[in-house]
Amino acid sequence: SDRINVAIDGPAGAGKSTVARKVAEQLGYVYIDTGAMYRAVTLAANRAGIDPGEQDRLKELVEVLNIRLAPGENGQMVFLNEEDVTSEIRSRDVTQHVSQVASHESVRIRLVELQRQLAAARGIVMDGRDIGTHVLPDAELKIFLTASVHIRALRRYQELKDRTGVSLEQLEAEIAGRDLSDEQREISPLVCAKDAIRIDSSELTIEQVVALIQELGRTKL
Ligand code: C5P
């Protein structure tokens, strides 16, 4: 097949999902948001009263969970045992616990298996933290998308500000905290793959980043 796989990794709030969705749209590829899967597991754990540190109960939980991604009108939809949880997985409660849930090996093994199945057909744009390093080491194009913590918090703040009372400082601290746990965890930490192209989006618009990735993609097609 002449279709390639594109891996887009990077820290929270760097614009990965928006960029990945647009790149997929323009290539006619399927977009897969792996963060949404870790969020779905976290939501299921919260509902079941499982603490993000309870390794054994989390292992049992992921074994019976059914997580399904499907394209929707406003981006990717997420189903947990066939219930639409697309918006609920974006809650602050889930956001605050997801990194700890994602640090467990049993959770990662299960979700990575699912991610590899989804990518087997190729023609996939997948975003996450460990896609280029671990999930799809053979992806033809690997991007590591970053931006300064301040810029990332500011963008999130502008998205959220009318809906929550959270301050910019608070968001900055939360993002920095999530970066740290994602970078320092033992299994598949957030790190730039050796063969990934690093793009700092601090001073770029979404459109500019998308155009840049498309240009890079053309050289691989
Ligand atoms: O991308 P998003 O911010 O929705 O991801 C939520 C969390 O899921 C991340 O902070 C990280 O802890 C975890 N994650 C991961 N590996 C991935 C994608 C997300 O550990 N491939």
Side-chain angles (χ1 to χ4, degrees):
S1 139
D2 52 1
R3 298 194 301 178
I4 65 168
N5 280 340
V6 182
I8 303 183
D9 290 299
K16 295 186 302 294
S17 4
T18 312
V19 164
R21 183 162 45 77
K22 291 191 183 219
V23 169
E25 230 168 66
Q26 299 191 353
L27 292 170
Y29 282 11
V30 174
Y31 163 54
I32 296 167
D33 172 0
T34 63
M37 296 179 171
Y38 290 95
R39 287 172 179 275
V41 173
T42 305
L43 176 64
N46 283 356
R47 285 178 173 181
I50 300 173
D51 186 272
E54 286 181 274
Q55 193 162 184
D56 296 341
R57 291 185 71 196
L58 281 172
K59 184 174 197 289
E60 284 169 26
L61 178 76
V62 288
E63 277 164 11
V64 297
L65 269 193
N66 172 25
I67 296 170
R68 189 168 65 83
L69 305 180
E73 268 173 40
N74 304 307
Q76 179 194 259
M77 298 182 74
V78 184
F79 295 87
L80 185 60
N81 297 329
E82 295 310 319
E83 175 194 348
D84 179 1
V85 294
T86 310
S87 1
E88 207 176 339
I89 58 167
R90 304 291 156 193
S91 71
R92 289 193 71 222
D93 191 45
V94 168
T95 303
Q96 281 168 350
H97 295 113
V98 62
S99 281
Q100 199 185 347
V101 169
S103 70
H104 298 290
E105 185 171 31
S106 56
V107 172
R108 304 202 68 84
I109 287 177
R110 179 76 192 95
L111 294 190
V112 168
E113 181 183 287
L114 211 63
Q115 291 154 13
R116 288 185 179 149
Q117 280 169 14
L118 291 170
R122 312 197 72 74
I124 294 292
V125 181
M126 191 176 277
D127 86 334
R129 302 293 188 288
D130 60 340
I131 311 307
T133 52
H134 181 66
V135 180
L136 305 176
D138 297 334
E140 285 80 359
L141 179 59
K142 298 182 185 180
I143 304 293
F144 195 80
L145 191 61
T146 62
S148 70
V149 175
H150 180 70
I151 292 279
R152 289 185 279 131
L154 198 61
R155 288 176 185 164
R156 193 60 39 106
Y157 182 69
Q158 284 160 351
E159 271 170 30
L160 290 177
K161 73 177 162 201
D162 298 330
R163 281 177 286 139
T164 63
V166 59
S167 71
L168 178 60
E169 290 69 29
Q170 212 173 333
L171 278 176
E172 229 177 282
E174 284 175 14
I175 285 183
R178 199 137 64 91
D179 285 356
L180 201 68
S181 42
D182 290 345
E183 286 162 3
Q184 297 193 335
R185 73 168 167 242
E186 232 166 282
I187 310 144
S188 312
L190 170 66
V191 58
C192 180
K194 284 200 182 72
D195 51 351
I197 296 156
R198 199 184 265 274
I199 299 176
D200 186 329
S201 75
S202 301
E203 319 248 308
L204 300 175
T205 64
I206 295 284
E207 289 68 29
Q208 287 172 320
V209 176
V210 171
L212 198 57
I213 295 175
Q214 272 199 297
E215 204 47 56
L216 292 165
R218 250 189 283 281
T219 68
K220 310 276 181 185
L221 283 170

